[in-house]
Amino acid sequence: MPSYWMFNPEQAEEQYGGSYLQAGGIAEKMSVELRRREDDGEYRFSIVGRDHDLAEPLTETIDVQAAHEPRHPSELFTADQAAPVFMH
């Protein structure tokens, strides 16, 4: 998809709209984020993770550009762990 997006941004935007799957952080510690348009036309943003207690505090961070983004340990992946999410 990267080359498709780089060389055909108008077509990619038309086909996929504002939906995306992205990773942030470094190969050893990253989060995977999804933004997609739902049936009601609204966009929803989600952080991919494993089952965990939502009341538990966000004890980890990832660095994305100049920001330190808080994350729960179950929301962190290595690049090898995240790759299947992108392949799916």
Side-chain angles (χ1 to χ4, degrees):
M1 167 93 178
S3 62
Y4 178 75
W5 179 259
M6 283 186 346
F7 298 114
N8 300 294
E10 294 83 15
Q11 280 184 305
E13 182 69 23
E14 185 177 309
Q15 182 174 355
Y16 298 106
S19 298
Y20 59 80
L21 181 66
Q22 68 181 9
I26 59 173
E28 294 80 19
K29 183 175 155 181
M30 63 175 54
S31 72
V32 177
E33 303 166 347
L34 170 69
R35 181 178 185 247
R36 70 179 200 177
R37 188 186 330 221
E38 300 294 332
D39 291 339
D40 63 4
E42 296 293 318
Y43 285 99
R44 301 287 189 288
F45 178 82
S46 303
I47 298 172
V48 177
R50 298 167 205 82
D51 286 337
H52 67 278
D53 181 352
L54 295 176
E56 292 178 11
L58 304 176
T59 58
E60 298 287 331
T61 61
I62 58 165
D63 295 329
V64 179
Q65 296 177 5
H68 303 290
E69 299 287 334
R71 295 289 183 268
H72 189 275
S74 68
E75 298 170 339
L76 297 176
F77 299 88
T78 64
D80 288 341
Q81 293 169 326
V85 176
F86 286 88
M87 297 305 292
H88 180 69

